[in-house]
Amino acid sequence: EVQLVESGGVVVQPGGSLRLSCAASGFTYDDYTMHWVRQAPGKGLEWVSLISWDGGSTSYADSVKGRFTISRDNRKNSLYLQMNSLRIEDTALYYCAKIATSSAFDIWGQGTMVTVSS
Amino acid sequence: SYELTQPPSVSVSPGQTARITCSGDALPKQYAYWYQQKSGQAPVLVIYKGTERPSGIPERFSGSTSGTTVTLTISGVQAEDEGDYYCQSADNSGTYVVFGGGTKLTVL
């Protein structure tokens, strides 16, 4: 079964740091670009970041650039998001998502909740 | 920054046709994708590359494009189609992924 499972979401204070993980299974992980997408409570989807199949290319939304770092470990079939200098507006459910050859997000995880609060 | 614009809400009665639009300047150049999200669940792809339907998605879901606007059409809407629908594309350079603000489909 093709599956993505996120973990690492917790409650953290403003200015704090957090590392999210996403474990992939059921497909050839290192063939695909991977993304993080977030959804604030009651709000829409917001793209956060992407990383190419080999980690050689990354991109970030302006709202997180300079604070978040995406990475991957193809030996462990895992995707990561290092989140620094967290702000209240970073509070959201964070999804990892796989890109299909059609360039659509064809597989999503169940999400992990990050709450930034004092 | 680049934006995709969707209507906040669309309401239809069962059996009618729902049309959800998405507008963006780069849409003539970049493919559009549509996702359905039901309450408490992850999004599900319903249309890719503007008009293509993934396997397992009912035929009543279709997509069309016209200039800077793309449209998701749901023919013969059923109660189970209720949820939020998001369009997704990229900016002109193809560097940044963008989602529309989402449209809440209510089946009356």
Side-chain angles (χ1 to χ4, degrees), chain A residues 39 43-45 47 59-60 65 95 102-105 108-109, chain B residues 33 35 37 41-43 45 48-49 86 88 95-97 99:
Chain A
Q39 187 168 33
K43 302 297 185 182
L45 300 171
W47 174 75
S59 183
Y60 300 90
K65 198 173 297 182
Y95 293 102
S102 64
S103 297
F105 293 109
W108 299 68
Chain B
Y33 305 84
Y35 302 87
Q37 186 180 36
Q41 298 182 19
L45 177 69
Y48 66 97
K49 290 188 175 180
Y86 295 90
Q88 176 250 310
T95 302
Y96 297 102
V97 174
F99 286 94

PDB file of all heavy atoms in Angstrom, chain A residues 39 43-45 47 59-60 65 95 102-105 108-109, chain B residues 33 35 37 41-43 45 48-49 86 88 95-97 99:
ATOM      1  N   GLN A  39      -2.132  23.514   6.285  1.00  0.00           N
ATOM      2  CA  GLN A  39      -3.512  24.002   6.327  1.00  0.00           C
ATOM      3  C   GLN A  39      -3.793  24.517   7.733  1.00  0.00           C
ATOM      4  O   GLN A  39      -3.881  23.718   8.677  1.00  0.00           O
ATOM      5  CB  GLN A  39      -4.491  22.894   5.941  1.00  0.00           C
ATOM      6  CG  GLN A  39      -5.920  23.355   5.804  1.00  0.00           C
ATOM      7  CD  GLN A  39      -6.803  22.304   5.153  1.00  0.00           C
ATOM      8  OE1 GLN A  39      -6.607  21.104   5.313  1.00  0.00           O
ATOM      9  NE2 GLN A  39      -7.793  22.762   4.373  1.00  0.00           N
ATOM     10  N   LYS A  43      -8.829  27.010   7.465  1.00  0.00           N
ATOM     11  CA  LYS A  43      -8.359  27.755   6.291  1.00  0.00           C
ATOM     12  C   LYS A  43      -8.048  26.810   5.134  1.00  0.00           C
ATOM     13  O   LYS A  43      -8.234  25.597   5.230  1.00  0.00           O
ATOM     14  CB  LYS A  43      -7.113  28.568   6.662  1.00  0.00           C
ATOM     15  CG  LYS A  43      -7.339  29.547   7.797  1.00  0.00           C
ATOM     16  CD  LYS A  43      -8.358  30.613   7.463  1.00  0.00           C
ATOM     17  CE  LYS A  43      -8.481  31.637   8.566  1.00  0.00           C
ATOM     18  NZ  LYS A  43      -9.527  32.674   8.256  1.00  0.00           N
ATOM     19  N   GLY A  44      -7.560  27.387   4.046  1.00  0.00           N
ATOM     20  CA  GLY A  44      -7.260  26.619   2.852  1.00  0.00           C
ATOM     21  C   GLY A  44      -5.873  26.014   2.856  1.00  0.00           C
ATOM     22  O   GLY A  44      -5.104  26.161   3.807  1.00  0.00           O
ATOM     23  N   LEU A  45      -5.556  25.342   1.765  1.00  0.00           N
ATOM     24  CA  LEU A  45      -4.259  24.713   1.600  1.00  0.00           C
ATOM     25  C   LEU A  45      -3.218  25.753   1.217  1.00  0.00           C
ATOM     26  O   LEU A  45      -3.487  26.651   0.418  1.00  0.00           O
ATOM     27  CB  LEU A  45      -4.335  23.641   0.512  1.00  0.00           C
ATOM     28  CG  LEU A  45      -5.330  22.505   0.752  1.00  0.00           C
ATOM     29  CD1 LEU A  45      -5.452  21.634  -0.504  1.00  0.00           C
ATOM     30  CD2 LEU A  45      -4.910  21.660   1.940  1.00  0.00           C
ATOM     31  N   TRP A  47       0.868  25.785  -0.031  1.00  0.00           N
ATOM     32  CA  TRP A  47       2.102  25.082  -0.344  1.00  0.00           C
ATOM     33  C   TRP A  47       3.253  25.673   0.463  1.00  0.00           C
ATOM     34  O   TRP A  47       3.354  26.890   0.614  1.00  0.00           O
ATOM     35  CB  TRP A  47       2.401  25.205  -1.838  1.00  0.00           C
ATOM     36  CG  TRP A  47       3.717  24.643  -2.221  1.00  0.00           C
ATOM     37  CD1 TRP A  47       4.055  23.325  -2.330  1.00  0.00           C
ATOM     38  CD2 TRP A  47       4.909  25.377  -2.519  1.00  0.00           C
ATOM     39  NE1 TRP A  47       5.372  23.199  -2.687  1.00  0.00           N
ATOM     40  CE2 TRP A  47       5.918  24.438  -2.802  1.00  0.00           C
ATOM     41  CE3 TRP A  47       5.221  26.735  -2.564  1.00  0.00           C
ATOM     42  CZ2 TRP A  47       7.212  24.823  -3.149  1.00  0.00           C
ATOM     43  CZ3 TRP A  47       6.498  27.111  -2.898  1.00  0.00           C
ATOM     44  CH2 TRP A  47       7.494  26.161  -3.191  1.00  0.00           C
ATOM     45  N   SER A  59      12.720  24.396  -3.049  1.00  0.00           N
ATOM     46  CA  SER A  59      12.015  25.655  -3.236  1.00  0.00           C
ATOM     47  C   SER A  59      11.114  25.877  -2.033  1.00  0.00           C
ATOM     48  O   SER A  59      10.645  24.898  -1.421  1.00  0.00           O
ATOM     49  CB  SER A  59      11.200  25.627  -4.531  1.00  0.00           C
ATOM     50  OG  SER A  59      10.561  26.859  -4.761  1.00  0.00           O
ATOM     51  N   TYR A  60      10.876  27.157  -1.710  1.00  0.00           N
ATOM     52  CA  TYR A  60      10.100  27.491  -0.529  1.00  0.00           C
ATOM     53  C   TYR A  60       9.094  28.597  -0.824  1.00  0.00           C
ATOM     54  O   TYR A  60       9.372  29.501  -1.627  1.00  0.00           O
ATOM     55  CB  TYR A  60      11.019  27.962   0.599  1.00  0.00           C
ATOM     56  CG  TYR A  60      12.041  26.951   1.032  1.00  0.00           C
ATOM     57  CD1 TYR A  60      13.291  26.884   0.434  1.00  0.00           C
ATOM     58  CD2 TYR A  60      11.741  26.038   2.044  1.00  0.00           C
ATOM     59  CE1 TYR A  60      14.219  25.935   0.822  1.00  0.00           C
ATOM     60  CE2 TYR A  60      12.673  25.091   2.443  1.00  0.00           C
ATOM     61  CZ  TYR A  60      13.909  25.044   1.827  1.00  0.00           C
ATOM     62  OH  TYR A  60      14.823  24.092   2.218  1.00  0.00           O
ATOM     63  N   LYS A  65      10.486  31.082   3.749  1.00  0.00           N
ATOM     64  CA  LYS A  65      11.854  31.147   3.237  1.00  0.00           C
ATOM     65  C   LYS A  65      12.782  31.740   4.282  1.00  0.00           C
ATOM     66  O   LYS A  65      12.478  32.742   4.911  1.00  0.00           O
ATOM     67  CB  LYS A  65      11.872  31.987   1.964  1.00  0.00           C
ATOM     68  CG  LYS A  65      13.086  31.811   1.091  1.00  0.00           C
ATOM     69  CD  LYS A  65      12.915  32.552  -0.232  1.00  0.00           C
ATOM     70  CE  LYS A  65      11.778  32.023  -1.056  1.00  0.00           C
ATOM     71  NZ  LYS A  65      11.630  32.710  -2.364  1.00  0.00           N
ATOM     72  N   TYR A  95       0.993  18.571   5.913  1.00  0.00           N
ATOM     73  CA  TYR A  95       0.911  17.358   5.110  1.00  0.00           C
ATOM     74  C   TYR A  95       2.199  17.182   4.299  1.00  0.00           C
ATOM     75  O   TYR A  95       2.724  18.157   3.748  1.00  0.00           O
ATOM     76  CB  TYR A  95      -0.215  17.451   4.079  1.00  0.00           C
ATOM     77  CG  TYR A  95      -1.621  17.483   4.608  1.00  0.00           C
ATOM     78  CD1 TYR A  95      -2.341  18.678   4.678  1.00  0.00           C
ATOM     79  CD2 TYR A  95      -2.271  16.304   4.977  1.00  0.00           C
ATOM     80  CE1 TYR A  95      -3.657  18.698   5.110  1.00  0.00           C
ATOM     81  CE2 TYR A  95      -3.586  16.316   5.419  1.00  0.00           C
ATOM     82  CZ  TYR A  95      -4.268  17.512   5.483  1.00  0.00           C
ATOM     83  OH  TYR A  95      -5.584  17.528   5.905  1.00  0.00           O
ATOM     84  N   SER A 102       2.356  13.095 -13.516  1.00  0.00           N
ATOM     85  CA  SER A 102       1.478  14.121 -14.088  1.00  0.00           C
ATOM     86  C   SER A 102       1.684  15.478 -13.436  1.00  0.00           C
ATOM     87  O   SER A 102       1.038  16.448 -13.813  1.00  0.00           O
ATOM     88  CB  SER A 102       0.020  13.705 -13.898  1.00  0.00           C
ATOM     89  OG  SER A 102      -0.299  13.653 -12.513  1.00  0.00           O
ATOM     90  N   SER A 103       2.545  15.547 -12.432  1.00  0.00           N
ATOM     91  CA  SER A 103       2.818  16.757 -11.646  1.00  0.00           C
ATOM     92  C   SER A 103       1.691  17.110 -10.689  1.00  0.00           C
ATOM     93  O   SER A 103       1.653  18.219 -10.159  1.00  0.00           O
ATOM     94  CB  SER A 103       3.123  17.965 -12.547  1.00  0.00           C
ATOM     95  OG  SER A 103       4.276  17.731 -13.287  1.00  0.00           O
ATOM     96  N   ALA A 104       0.784  16.171 -10.470  1.00  0.00           N
ATOM     97  CA  ALA A 104      -0.278  16.374  -9.478  1.00  0.00           C
ATOM     98  C   ALA A 104       0.141  15.755  -8.148  1.00  0.00           C
ATOM     99  O   ALA A 104       0.940  14.815  -8.110  1.00  0.00           O
ATOM    100  CB  ALA A 104      -1.570  15.725  -9.953  1.00  0.00           C
ATOM    101  N   PHE A 105      -0.420  16.270  -7.065  1.00  0.00           N
ATOM    102  CA  PHE A 105      -0.219  15.639  -5.762  1.00  0.00           C
ATOM    103  C   PHE A 105      -1.141  14.420  -5.710  1.00  0.00           C
ATOM    104  O   PHE A 105      -2.339  14.558  -5.504  1.00  0.00           O
ATOM    105  CB  PHE A 105      -0.591  16.611  -4.641  1.00  0.00           C
ATOM    106  CG  PHE A 105       0.319  17.796  -4.536  1.00  0.00           C
ATOM    107  CD1 PHE A 105      -0.118  19.061  -4.911  1.00  0.00           C
ATOM    108  CD2 PHE A 105       1.612  17.664  -4.060  1.00  0.00           C
ATOM    109  CE1 PHE A 105       0.712  20.153  -4.812  1.00  0.00           C
ATOM    110  CE2 PHE A 105       2.457  18.757  -3.965  1.00  0.00           C
ATOM    111  CZ  PHE A 105       1.996  20.013  -4.337  1.00  0.00           C
ATOM    112  N   TRP A 108      -1.207  11.836  -0.360  1.00  0.00           N
ATOM    113  CA  TRP A 108      -1.062  12.734   0.784  1.00  0.00           C
ATOM    114  C   TRP A 108      -0.997  11.898   2.061  1.00  0.00           C
ATOM    115  O   TRP A 108      -1.635  10.868   2.165  1.00  0.00           O
ATOM    116  CB  TRP A 108      -2.266  13.674   0.891  1.00  0.00           C
ATOM    117  CG  TRP A 108      -2.495  14.585  -0.265  1.00  0.00           C
ATOM    118  CD1 TRP A 108      -2.878  14.245  -1.539  1.00  0.00           C
ATOM    119  CD2 TRP A 108      -2.398  16.012  -0.254  1.00  0.00           C
ATOM    120  NE1 TRP A 108      -3.011  15.370  -2.314  1.00  0.00           N
ATOM    121  CE2 TRP A 108      -2.726  16.467  -1.550  1.00  0.00           C
ATOM    122  CE3 TRP A 108      -2.069  16.965   0.723  1.00  0.00           C
ATOM    123  CZ2 TRP A 108      -2.730  17.832  -1.902  1.00  0.00           C
ATOM    124  CZ3 TRP A 108      -2.079  18.313   0.389  1.00  0.00           C
ATOM    125  CH2 TRP A 108      -2.408  18.734  -0.915  1.00  0.00           C
ATOM    126  N   GLY A 109      -0.266  12.409   3.034  1.00  0.00           N
ATOM    127  CA  GLY A 109      -0.309  11.806   4.355  1.00  0.00           C
ATOM    128  C   GLY A 109      -1.551  12.265   5.097  1.00  0.00           C
ATOM    129  O   GLY A 109      -2.387  12.994   4.551  1.00  0.00           O
TER     130      GLY A 109
ATOM    131  N   TYR B  33      -4.891  21.672 -11.532  1.00  0.00           N
ATOM    132  CA  TYR B  33      -5.258  20.424 -10.865  1.00  0.00           C
ATOM    133  C   TYR B  33      -6.363  20.757  -9.868  1.00  0.00           C
ATOM    134  O   TYR B  33      -6.411  21.860  -9.325  1.00  0.00           O
ATOM    135  CB  TYR B  33      -4.052  19.827 -10.138  1.00  0.00           C
ATOM    136  CG  TYR B  33      -2.861  19.621 -11.041  1.00  0.00           C
ATOM    137  CD1 TYR B  33      -1.987  20.664 -11.309  1.00  0.00           C
ATOM    138  CD2 TYR B  33      -2.640  18.402 -11.661  1.00  0.00           C
ATOM    139  CE1 TYR B  33      -0.911  20.503 -12.171  1.00  0.00           C
ATOM    140  CE2 TYR B  33      -1.573  18.225 -12.521  1.00  0.00           C
ATOM    141  CZ  TYR B  33      -0.716  19.276 -12.774  1.00  0.00           C
ATOM    142  OH  TYR B  33       0.329  19.110 -13.637  1.00  0.00           O
ATOM    143  N   TYR B  35      -8.588  19.332  -6.381  1.00  0.00           N
ATOM    144  CA  TYR B  35      -8.608  18.412  -5.245  1.00  0.00           C
ATOM    145  C   TYR B  35      -9.922  18.594  -4.487  1.00  0.00           C
ATOM    146  O   TYR B  35     -10.416  19.714  -4.324  1.00  0.00           O
ATOM    147  CB  TYR B  35      -7.435  18.685  -4.304  1.00  0.00           C
ATOM    148  CG  TYR B  35      -6.099  18.574  -4.983  1.00  0.00           C
ATOM    149  CD1 TYR B  35      -5.535  19.661  -5.642  1.00  0.00           C
ATOM    150  CD2 TYR B  35      -5.404  17.368  -5.013  1.00  0.00           C
ATOM    151  CE1 TYR B  35      -4.325  19.559  -6.299  1.00  0.00           C
ATOM    152  CE2 TYR B  35      -4.185  17.256  -5.673  1.00  0.00           C
ATOM    153  CZ  TYR B  35      -3.659  18.354  -6.310  1.00  0.00           C
ATOM    154  OH  TYR B  35      -2.462  18.238  -6.966  1.00  0.00           O
ATOM    155  N   GLN B  37     -11.633  17.938  -0.768  1.00  0.00           N
ATOM    156  CA  GLN B  37     -11.292  17.671   0.625  1.00  0.00           C
ATOM    157  C   GLN B  37     -12.567  17.621   1.449  1.00  0.00           C
ATOM    158  O   GLN B  37     -13.280  18.625   1.567  1.00  0.00           O
ATOM    159  CB  GLN B  37     -10.337  18.723   1.194  1.00  0.00           C
ATOM    160  CG  GLN B  37      -9.850  18.389   2.600  1.00  0.00           C
ATOM    161  CD  GLN B  37      -8.901  19.423   3.166  1.00  0.00           C
ATOM    162  OE1 GLN B  37      -9.031  20.613   2.932  1.00  0.00           O
ATOM    163  NE2 GLN B  37      -7.912  18.954   3.929  1.00  0.00           N
ATOM    164  N   GLN B  41     -10.422  15.121   6.470  1.00  0.00           N
ATOM    165  CA  GLN B  41      -9.649  14.205   5.627  1.00  0.00           C
ATOM    166  C   GLN B  41      -8.611  14.951   4.799  1.00  0.00           C
ATOM    167  O   GLN B  41      -8.710  16.164   4.600  1.00  0.00           O
ATOM    168  CB  GLN B  41     -10.591  13.440   4.691  1.00  0.00           C
ATOM    169  CG  GLN B  41     -11.605  12.568   5.414  1.00  0.00           C
ATOM    170  CD  GLN B  41     -12.484  11.793   4.454  1.00  0.00           C
ATOM    171  OE1 GLN B  41     -12.161  11.608   3.282  1.00  0.00           O
ATOM    172  NE2 GLN B  41     -13.628  11.324   4.944  1.00  0.00           N
ATOM    173  N   ALA B  42      -7.631  14.222   4.307  1.00  0.00           N
ATOM    174  CA  ALA B  42      -6.641  14.789   3.399  1.00  0.00           C
ATOM    175  C   ALA B  42      -7.281  15.023   2.028  1.00  0.00           C
ATOM    176  O   ALA B  42      -8.272  14.367   1.673  1.00  0.00           O
ATOM    177  CB  ALA B  42      -5.456  13.844   3.275  1.00  0.00           C
ATOM    178  N   PRO B  43      -6.732  15.956   1.266  1.00  0.00           N
ATOM    179  CA  PRO B  43      -7.248  16.188  -0.086  1.00  0.00           C
ATOM    180  C   PRO B  43      -7.097  14.963  -0.983  1.00  0.00           C
ATOM    181  O   PRO B  43      -6.200  14.149  -0.779  1.00  0.00           O
ATOM    182  CB  PRO B  43      -6.386  17.345  -0.605  1.00  0.00           C
ATOM    183  CG  PRO B  43      -5.860  18.008   0.626  1.00  0.00           C
ATOM    184  CD  PRO B  43      -5.666  16.907   1.621  1.00  0.00           C
ATOM    185  N   LEU B  45      -7.064  14.004  -5.219  1.00  0.00           N
ATOM    186  CA  LEU B  45      -6.995  14.530  -6.585  1.00  0.00           C
ATOM    187  C   LEU B  45      -8.217  14.073  -7.367  1.00  0.00           C
ATOM    188  O   LEU B  45      -8.507  12.873  -7.410  1.00  0.00           O
ATOM    189  CB  LEU B  45      -5.723  14.016  -7.250  1.00  0.00           C
ATOM    190  CG  LEU B  45      -5.479  14.394  -8.708  1.00  0.00           C
ATOM    191  CD1 LEU B  45      -5.186  15.881  -8.837  1.00  0.00           C
ATOM    192  CD2 LEU B  45      -4.319  13.577  -9.291  1.00  0.00           C
ATOM    193  N   TYR B  48      -6.537  16.202 -13.124  1.00  0.00           N
ATOM    194  CA  TYR B  48      -5.161  16.619 -13.322  1.00  0.00           C
ATOM    195  C   TYR B  48      -4.958  17.108 -14.754  1.00  0.00           C
ATOM    196  O   TYR B  48      -5.720  16.754 -15.653  1.00  0.00           O
ATOM    197  CB  TYR B  48      -4.175  15.512 -12.962  1.00  0.00           C
ATOM    198  CG  TYR B  48      -4.218  14.284 -13.851  1.00  0.00           C
ATOM    199  CD1 TYR B  48      -3.320  14.137 -14.904  1.00  0.00           C
ATOM    200  CD2 TYR B  48      -5.122  13.253 -13.617  1.00  0.00           C
ATOM    201  CE1 TYR B  48      -3.337  13.025 -15.711  1.00  0.00           C
ATOM    202  CE2 TYR B  48      -5.148  12.125 -14.415  1.00  0.00           C
ATOM    203  CZ  TYR B  48      -4.244  12.000 -15.462  1.00  0.00           C
ATOM    204  OH  TYR B  48      -4.266  10.882 -16.255  1.00  0.00           O
ATOM    205  N   LYS B  49      -3.941  17.913 -14.929  1.00  0.00           N
ATOM    206  CA  LYS B  49      -3.634  18.523 -16.228  1.00  0.00           C
ATOM    207  C   LYS B  49      -4.882  19.137 -16.871  1.00  0.00           C
ATOM    208  O   LYS B  49      -5.126  18.979 -18.062  1.00  0.00           O
ATOM    209  CB  LYS B  49      -2.981  17.513 -17.157  1.00  0.00           C
ATOM    210  CG  LYS B  49      -1.570  17.145 -16.719  1.00  0.00           C
ATOM    211  CD  LYS B  49      -0.856  16.290 -17.746  1.00  0.00           C
ATOM    212  CE  LYS B  49       0.579  16.033 -17.343  1.00  0.00           C
ATOM    213  NZ  LYS B  49       1.313  15.213 -18.320  1.00  0.00           N
ATOM    214  N   TYR B  86     -10.280  22.587  -4.164  1.00  0.00           N
ATOM    215  CA  TYR B  86      -9.151  23.489  -4.364  1.00  0.00           C
ATOM    216  C   TYR B  86      -8.560  23.297  -5.763  1.00  0.00           C
ATOM    217  O   TYR B  86      -8.318  22.160  -6.186  1.00  0.00           O
ATOM    218  CB  TYR B  86      -8.050  23.214  -3.337  1.00  0.00           C
ATOM    219  CG  TYR B  86      -8.451  23.491  -1.908  1.00  0.00           C
ATOM    220  CD1 TYR B  86      -9.017  22.501  -1.122  1.00  0.00           C
ATOM    221  CD2 TYR B  86      -8.247  24.754  -1.351  1.00  0.00           C
ATOM    222  CE1 TYR B  86      -9.390  22.752   0.198  1.00  0.00           C
ATOM    223  CE2 TYR B  86      -8.612  25.022  -0.040  1.00  0.00           C
ATOM    224  CZ  TYR B  86      -9.186  24.018   0.721  1.00  0.00           C
ATOM    225  OH  TYR B  86      -9.544  24.280   2.022  1.00  0.00           O
ATOM    226  N   GLN B  88      -5.171  24.033  -8.080  1.00  0.00           N
ATOM    227  CA  GLN B  88      -3.722  24.142  -7.839  1.00  0.00           C
ATOM    228  C   GLN B  88      -3.015  24.279  -9.175  1.00  0.00           C
ATOM    229  O   GLN B  88      -3.369  23.628 -10.151  1.00  0.00           O
ATOM    230  CB  GLN B  88      -3.221  22.922  -7.072  1.00  0.00           C
ATOM    231  CG  GLN B  88      -1.715  22.876  -6.856  1.00  0.00           C
ATOM    232  CD  GLN B  88      -1.058  21.787  -7.671  1.00  0.00           C
ATOM    233  OE1 GLN B  88      -1.475  20.630  -7.668  1.00  0.00           O
ATOM    234  NE2 GLN B  88       0.014  22.129  -8.379  1.00  0.00           N
ATOM    235  N   THR B  95       8.150  27.655 -10.823  1.00  0.00           N
ATOM    236  CA  THR B  95       8.959  27.452  -9.618  1.00  0.00           C
ATOM    237  C   THR B  95       8.102  27.234  -8.384  1.00  0.00           C
ATOM    238  O   THR B  95       8.437  26.411  -7.519  1.00  0.00           O
ATOM    239  CB  THR B  95       9.869  28.673  -9.383  1.00  0.00           C
ATOM    240  OG1 THR B  95      10.686  28.866 -10.531  1.00  0.00           O
ATOM    241  CG2 THR B  95      10.741  28.468  -8.147  1.00  0.00           C
ATOM    242  N   TYR B  96       7.026  27.995  -8.287  1.00  0.00           N
ATOM    243  CA  TYR B  96       6.225  27.990  -7.063  1.00  0.00           C
ATOM    244  C   TYR B  96       4.860  27.347  -7.301  1.00  0.00           C
ATOM    245  O   TYR B  96       4.167  27.654  -8.259  1.00  0.00           O
ATOM    246  CB  TYR B  96       6.032  29.412  -6.549  1.00  0.00           C
ATOM    247  CG  TYR B  96       7.329  30.067  -6.176  1.00  0.00           C
ATOM    248  CD1 TYR B  96       7.929  30.985  -7.027  1.00  0.00           C
ATOM    249  CD2 TYR B  96       7.971  29.741  -4.987  1.00  0.00           C
ATOM    250  CE1 TYR B  96       9.131  31.578  -6.698  1.00  0.00           C
ATOM    251  CE2 TYR B  96       9.173  30.328  -4.649  1.00  0.00           C
ATOM    252  CZ  TYR B  96       9.752  31.244  -5.501  1.00  0.00           C
ATOM    253  OH  TYR B  96      10.942  31.822  -5.179  1.00  0.00           O
ATOM    254  N   VAL B  97       4.492  26.458  -6.379  1.00  0.00           N
ATOM    255  CA  VAL B  97       3.173  25.837  -6.407  1.00  0.00           C
ATOM    256  C   VAL B  97       2.185  26.775  -5.724  1.00  0.00           C
ATOM    257  O   VAL B  97       2.505  27.395  -4.699  1.00  0.00           O
ATOM    258  CB  VAL B  97       3.197  24.479  -5.664  1.00  0.00           C
ATOM    259  CG1 VAL B  97       1.806  23.892  -5.555  1.00  0.00           C
ATOM    260  CG2 VAL B  97       4.151  23.521  -6.362  1.00  0.00           C
ATOM    261  N   PHE B  99      -2.037  27.230  -4.541  1.00  0.00           N
ATOM    262  CA  PHE B  99      -3.401  26.725  -4.388  1.00  0.00           C
ATOM    263  C   PHE B  99      -4.381  27.898  -4.413  1.00  0.00           C
ATOM    264  O   PHE B  99      -4.070  28.990  -3.919  1.00  0.00           O
ATOM    265  CB  PHE B  99      -3.585  26.000  -3.048  1.00  0.00           C
ATOM    266  CG  PHE B  99      -2.933  24.652  -2.991  1.00  0.00           C
ATOM    267  CD1 PHE B  99      -1.657  24.496  -2.471  1.00  0.00           C
ATOM    268  CD2 PHE B  99      -3.608  23.524  -3.450  1.00  0.00           C
ATOM    269  CE1 PHE B  99      -1.061  23.247  -2.410  1.00  0.00           C
ATOM    270  CE2 PHE B  99      -3.025  22.269  -3.389  1.00  0.00           C
ATOM    271  CZ  PHE B  99      -1.746  22.140  -2.873  1.00  0.00           C
TER     272      PHE B  99
END
